[in-house]
Amino acid sequence: MLSNQLQNGMDRAKSMWSRLPDTDENEDDLVSFLKKNDGGGVESLDYEVIENYAYWDEQAQRGRLFVGYSVVVKWLYALFIGIGTGLAAVFINMAVENFAGWKFSLTFALIQKSYVAGFIVYLAINLGLVFSSVYIVTHFAPAAAGSGIPEIKGYLNGIDIHGVLFFRTLIGKIFGSIGSVGGGLALGKEGPLVHTGACIASLLGQGGSGKYHLNSRWLQVFKSDRDRRDLVTCGCAAGVAAAFRAPVGGVLFALEEVTSWWKSQLLWRVFFTSAVVAVVVRAAMGWCKSGKCGHFGSGGFIIWDISDGQEDYSFGELLPMTVIGIIGGLLGALFNQLTLYMTNWRRNHLHKKGNRVKIIEACLISVLTSIISFGLPLLRQCTPCPKPDPDLGNECPRPPGTYGNYVNFYCSKENEYNDLATIFFNTQDDAIRNLFSAKTMHEFSARSLLTFLVMFYTLAVVTFGTAVPAGQFVPGIMIGSTYGRLVGKFVVSFYKKPNIEEGTYALLGAASFLGGSMRMTVSLCVIMVEISNNLKFLPLIMLVLLMSKAVGDAFNEGLYEEQAQLKGIPLLESRPKYQMRKITAKEACGKRVVSFPRVVKVADIVSILRSNRHNGFPVIDYSRNGETRVIGLMLRSYLLGLLQSKVDFQHSPLPSDPRGSMPTRHNFSEFVKPASSKGISIDDINLSSEDLEMYIDLLPFLNPSPYIVPEDMSLTKVYNLFRQLGLRHAFVVPRPANVVGLITRKDLLIEDSEDSDAMELQSTSVRARRRDRRIHTANGDVESPLLNGLLVNNTDG
């Protein structure tokens, strides 16, 4: 029954393609699902290089100097992304720690006189911070809500989602995270930091924000979607490296979780960016240790040093560790399903009512969180402090307003502490540090841990999906470390060995829940090792991650994949669906092809662009014997650019140059859509009646070498081509009658006589020769067997 319900939930989520707003459409048939949409509110990105005449002319003007310049600039951008993301992370952590420090200091000062007054102030501060966060998101940056990782994952998968990388989204993410995390909600700032790094990278890549007049021309070097993709990948890795102070984990996170395409040159730049972030964060923390940053300095960034924890483990402990992995998989899968239902209900019933309802919802959750975190410790009896140990430095109780173990809250005696307040009435980072702490045996009772687990788990489910920036890393670590420590208590009481540490099991529990919810393995394993600063735990973390992921995969998909499906982000996952083996390319496309002739009337272009949302159109021409030939693919963005510039309009319906060798009056960057806007639409272009009677020769601007697949190719192969090559369109053609040649591996092993820096770009002479061959082939009577005849369809993205 449970598996059927989970599958039904997945089917409903997968049907939401066309728009990011709400939709209740259901579609069970896979072929119908693939046929249903024309793009809607979500479009694909053009990762493919369009090798038209404008591209070749621009490339021919670039020599070795430009190649070296572009390589240097890419590394400079990696440096800037690392510095910018590191500074943003320092600012967010500094603000959160200071707001939390002031809040707890003031609250502890007031509860010495009156717990009612302390609660009112505590509630008011939390409510004010959360209100500022939700107000910023709802009125200034709607795309800043949530973690942003599903959207960034979709962008790197080839999906263009409007507003995700805007400058105002960056500002909303930074200040919204400060309000939501500082306000005590069951959320984290780590996911938003990934989104922040991606926004910084995208803004640097396009030279800043033109809308807010914060741009620079000398930064506007890389304008294609391919280059922006590489920069955003660096930004994602930088965000993880800054959030966890885990540079290697950041690189692996970008490789495992968010990117769909990778290359060795990008790996080096991502690694360099993460290293820069680590240097910036460490320098900032060193500067703040002198007390110049208020409450920030000793806490804040996520790193819990448990190098003095459990030194060794016995074979018998592997059983309870395996149990932790199973529990993590079950609770993680349940968390994913509950958040999916809650988010779906919010979208379809609650958030449809407007921003006011979103603000009220977030404020009510803030009030509920404050009541629980302040009220539940009042119901817990205090525990006598353990004997002081000067070697450990665990002062009991801790002075009011300072982080650490043994918080004195509502205790009748001075030498007592409240174990529930130690984890509940505290910042999340300090609470996790307390749960991970070593040499603190029996600090937390089983009742307190179970109470905190149930209440915080519920708060995390309810809070996830509100209109505030929200990450799930730290809440997941808190949930996992709680039941991990709970299992550790039973292990200690059962084995009765002095070397067993409850904090070790708390670390394993945190890893198991994250693995069961997010389904990450390699990157999460390295992140947990880096933040714990103990390499001895690596085999144990690997064990619980494998168990939790295996158990979680039996029920549903990972958290980010489910949220992406719910938001209508059509991700191409690493593996195609099994049903695609039985579907051919012709059956998947199935629509009438909309094409253009080589020389087309402006009025016809306008009419076709207004009548559909296709982004790619086949262009046909006729040979001297009257045979129809498909000569290439024309993108919608290129057509809009030509209509707006009007410089290529002509009066004659004949080709402007029979040989097709006329120079173009455009450069490649003119046809690239800016990342910070929707670009121009057909309604934005003003054309007179005289303009509509003009003609355009499309040959210099089309892609003469699009990817093509035979009509009987299985959809599985087509799927792999799209995902691995980052395609947006592919022509489906009839089975060719003859073959002009056969390429093998040895044909691709061409000796490179140029400098090693030119590996990413072909030499100018080779480009010129290939362009001449294309000109001759496109305009002569040379037979093109794969493109002869009419297309079956074009797969439009």
Side-chain angles (χ1 to χ4, degrees):
M1 176 66 74
L2 178 60
S3 61
N4 293 335
Q5 293 178 352
L6 299 181
Q7 185 61 40
N8 293 336
M10 290 298 96
D11 292 338
R12 286 197 300 271
K14 290 173 183 175
S15 68
M16 300 180 183
W17 160 287
S18 59
R19 290 185 177 274
L20 289 179
D22 309 286
T23 176
D24 292 324
E25 298 175 355
N26 279 312
E27 189 66 65
D28 296 327
D29 185 70
L30 179 62
V31 179
S32 300
F33 170 75
L34 293 170
K35 292 180 180 179
K36 183 177 63 174
N37 293 283
D38 293 330
V42 179
E43 294 185 358
S44 299
L45 294 167
D46 292 309
Y47 287 155
E48 181 184 356
V49 176
I50 309 301
E51 297 177 334
N52 54 23
Y53 293 101
Y55 171 81
W56 291 120
D57 286 343
E58 184 174 285
Q59 294 298 312
Q61 299 173 7
R62 298 176 175 179
R64 291 187 179 183
L65 182 62
F66 180 83
V67 174
Y69 170 75
S70 63
V71 172
V72 171
V73 170
K74 287 180 180 179
W75 285 95
L76 285 176
Y77 271 57
L79 175 65
F80 295 153
I81 293 170
I83 295 174
T85 306
L87 293 177
V90 170
F91 175 74
I92 293 175
N93 279 274
M94 188 183 302
V96 169
E97 285 297 307
N98 277 287
F99 277 124
W102 297 330
K103 174 180 66 179
F104 285 114
S105 296
L106 183 58
T107 303
F108 271 108
L110 290 175
I111 62 177
Q112 306 301 321
K113 303 177 181 178
S114 171
Y115 275 87
V116 176
F119 170 71
I120 293 175
V121 171
Y122 177 75
L123 175 65
I125 295 176
N126 284 340
L127 187 60
L129 290 172
V130 173
F131 175 80
S132 66
S133 175
V134 67
Y135 188 86
I136 290 173
V137 170
T138 54
H139 289 78
F140 181 69
S147 69
I149 293 180
E151 289 81 358
I152 299 303
K153 186 174 182 178
Y155 179 87
L156 295 177
N157 195 255
I159 304 301
D160 186 14
I161 306 172
H162 180 67
V164 172
L165 299 175
F166 282 11
F167 177 74
R168 66 171 180 266
T169 303
L170 172 63
I171 299 300
K173 210 73 177 183
I174 292 175
F175 290 96
S177 300
I178 295 172
S180 61
V181 179
L185 294 180
L187 302 170
K189 53 184 178 295
E190 291 66 39
L193 267 176
V194 176
H195 194 178
T196 299
C199 289
I200 291 174
S202 177
L203 290 170
L204 283 175
Q206 65 181 4
S209 174
K211 180 178 180 180
Y212 298 99
H213 306 289
L214 298 173
N215 55 350
S216 176
R217 287 189 176 182
W218 72 272
L219 288 174
Q220 298 175 1
V221 179
F222 304 110
K223 296 184 178 181
S224 68
D225 290 334
R226 290 171 62 91
D227 294 327
R228 291 198 193 110
R229 173 185 61 185
D230 293 349
L231 294 176
V232 171
T233 303
C234 293
C236 291
V240 175
F244 296 99
R245 291 178 61 191
V248 180
V251 176
L252 294 176
F253 175 84
L255 174 60
E256 178 185 6
E257 186 64 20
V258 295
T259 58
S260 303
W261 184 84
W262 199 261
K263 59 182 180 180
S264 59
Q265 298 96 328
L266 178 61
L267 174 63
W268 281 105
R269 288 197 294 272
V270 170
F271 185 78
F272 173 71
T273 305
S274 299
V276 172
V277 171
V279 172
V280 171
V281 170
R282 189 169 186 85
M285 293 189 65
W287 184 72
C288 290
K289 282 184 178 179
S290 59
K292 300 177 181 178
C293 303
H295 292 271
F296 178 77
S298 52
F301 275 97
I302 299 178
I303 183 166
W304 303 289
D305 191 346
I306 53 176
S307 56
D308 58 343
Q310 185 170 335
E311 294 291 335
D312 198 4
Y313 51 90
S314 62
F315 183 79
E317 292 182 67
L318 294 181
L319 178 60
M321 292 175 182
T322 304
V323 172
I324 287 179
I326 296 174
I327 295 175
L330 294 174
L331 291 182
L334 179 61
F335 181 85
N336 292 356
Q337 199 61 35
L338 292 177
T339 54
L340 180 67
Y341 288 148
M342 286 292 298
T343 306
N344 195 20
W345 176 79
R346 277 191 175 98
R347 287 165 52 84
N348 294 330
H349 298 90
L350 196 62
H351 289 177
K352 281 184 175 181
K353 299 179 181 180
N355 291 335
R356 181 178 298 179
V357 175
K358 296 179 182 179
I359 295 175
I360 294 175
E361 177 199 21
C363 292
L364 289 177
I365 293 177
S366 174
V367 172
L368 177 64
T369 304
S370 299
I371 293 174
I372 292 176
S373 61
F374 192 96
L376 282 183
L378 297 176
L379 306 178
R380 176 64 183 162
Q381 293 183 353
C382 292
T383 305
C385 288
K387 296 179 180 181
D389 190 343
D391 297 333
L392 298 178
N394 288 333
E395 183 181 357
C396 180
R398 282 285 181 178
T402 61
Y403 79 96
N405 304 77
Y406 308 115
V407 174
N408 185 287
F409 184 83
Y410 202 63
C411 298
S412 58
K413 299 180 181 180
E414 293 184 359
N415 60 340
E416 292 182 337
Y417 73 97
N418 191 319
D419 61 343
L420 191 57
T422 301
I423 50 178
F424 233 141
F425 196 68
N426 216 333
T427 64
Q428 293 182 9
D429 292 351
D430 293 338
I432 296 172
R433 190 176 289 108
N434 296 338
L435 290 170
F436 281 2
S437 61
K439 306 298 188 293
T440 55
M441 200 73 68
H442 307 299
E443 177 184 358
F444 304 100
S445 65
R447 181 180 298 178
S448 295
L449 291 174
L450 187 60
T451 301
F452 178 81
L453 174 63
V454 173
M455 298 308 302
F456 193 84
Y457 191 97
T458 304
L459 287 175
V461 170
V462 173
T463 308
F464 188 80
T466 54
V468 294
Q472 282 304 309
F473 274 103
V474 167
I477 292 175
M478 289 193 68
I479 294 171
S481 59
T482 304
Y483 69 74
R485 184 134 187 158
L486 189 60
V487 173
K489 289 184 65 65
F490 290 109
V491 173
V492 169
S493 61
F494 181 80
Y495 287 99
K496 294 182 173 56
K497 292 183 179 180
N499 65 320
I500 298 178
E501 288 287 349
E502 297 176 3
T504 301
Y505 286 84
L507 173 67
L508 298 179
S512 68
F513 185 83
L514 292 178
S517 175
M518 300 178 183
R519 310 295 160 76
M520 296 186 297
T521 54
V522 179
S523 59
L524 183 58
C525 182
V526 174
I527 289 173
M528 297 303 294
V529 170
E530 288 187 281
I531 64 178
S532 63
N533 196 23
N534 196 330
L535 192 60
K536 296 178 181 179
F537 296 147
L538 179 60
L540 305 180
I541 295 175
M542 295 172 64
L543 172 65
V544 297
L545 282 177
L546 290 174
M547 290 300 303
S548 61
K549 178 173 170 38
V551 173
D553 286 339
F555 292 94
N556 51 28
E557 297 185 43
L559 178 66
Y560 299 136
E561 288 76 11
E562 288 192 346
Q563 293 299 319
Q565 291 169 354
L566 185 62
K567 294 179 179 181
I569 304 174
L571 293 177
L572 294 182
E573 297 296 339
S574 57
R575 292 188 302 174
K577 299 298 181 183
Y578 178 80
Q579 298 93 320
M580 290 184 178
R581 299 171 182 262
K582 303 178 182 179
I583 304 173
T584 63
K586 182 179 180 180
E587 294 172 343
C589 55
K591 293 183 180 178
R592 184 178 62 87
V593 178
V594 180
S595 61
F596 287 109
R598 171 182 169 177
V599 182
V600 60
K601 195 174 183 179
V602 173
D604 294 336
I605 297 178
V606 174
S607 175
I608 291 178
L609 293 182
R610 285 179 174 171
S611 62
N612 63 75
R613 295 182 178 180
H614 295 333
N615 289 284
F617 304 90
V619 179
I620 61 176
D621 198 6
Y622 300 93
S623 61
R624 293 180 180 178
N625 58 7
E627 183 182 3
T628 301
R629 295 185 305 153
V630 180
I631 60 175
L633 173 70
M634 191 70 186
L635 296 180
R636 186 185 191 94
S637 59
Y638 280 66
L639 292 171
L640 293 174
L642 294 175
L643 293 178
Q644 188 180 46
S645 65
K646 303 181 182 180
V647 297
D648 294 283
F649 288 4
Q650 62 184 40
H651 293 280
S652 172
L654 300 176
S656 55
D657 189 335
R659 295 188 57 84
S661 59
M662 67 285 190
T664 60
R665 293 177 285 267
H666 305 271
N667 57 55
F668 181 73
S669 60
E670 293 182 27
F671 302 106
V672 178
K673 183 185 77 67
S676 61
S677 68
K678 291 183 178 179
I680 59 175
S681 66
I682 188 62
D683 297 326
D684 300 328
I685 301 174
N686 297 320
L687 297 171
S688 64
S689 57
E690 291 81 5
D691 294 333
L692 295 176
E693 299 299 322
M694 304 286 281
Y695 294 85
I696 300 179
D697 188 354
L698 302 181
L699 181 62
F701 311 101
L702 55 82
N703 182 6
S705 55
Y707 286 90
I708 60 176
V709 297
E711 60 181 347
D712 55 352
M713 177 181 284
S714 70
L715 197 59
T716 299
K717 287 188 175 181
V718 178
Y719 184 100
N720 292 330
L721 283 174
F722 267 74
R723 192 181 191 279
Q724 295 174 10
L725 299 178
L727 300 184
R728 185 175 187 178
H729 309 91
F731 284 170
V732 182
V733 300
R735 173 62 64 179
N738 47 24
V739 180
V740 298
L742 184 67
I743 295 179
T744 62
R745 180 182 294 269
K746 65 181 181 62
D747 299 318
L748 305 177
L749 301 177
I750 302 175
E751 294 185 3
D752 188 9
S753 59
E754 296 191 343
D755 187 70
S756 60
D757 291 339
M759 291 298 293
E760 295 186 27
L761 296 176
Q762 296 174 340
S763 66
T764 305
S765 61
V766 173
R767 289 196 302 265
R769 289 197 299 270
R770 293 184 179 179
R771 181 185 58 179
D772 293 339
R773 287 202 301 268
R774 284 188 177 88
I775 293 172
H776 178 70
T777 303
N779 295 278
D781 286 332
V782 179
E783 187 177 15
S784 301
L786 285 180
L787 294 180
N788 277 349
L790 295 177
L791 283 175
V792 175
N793 202 346
N794 66 310
T795 304
D796 200 357

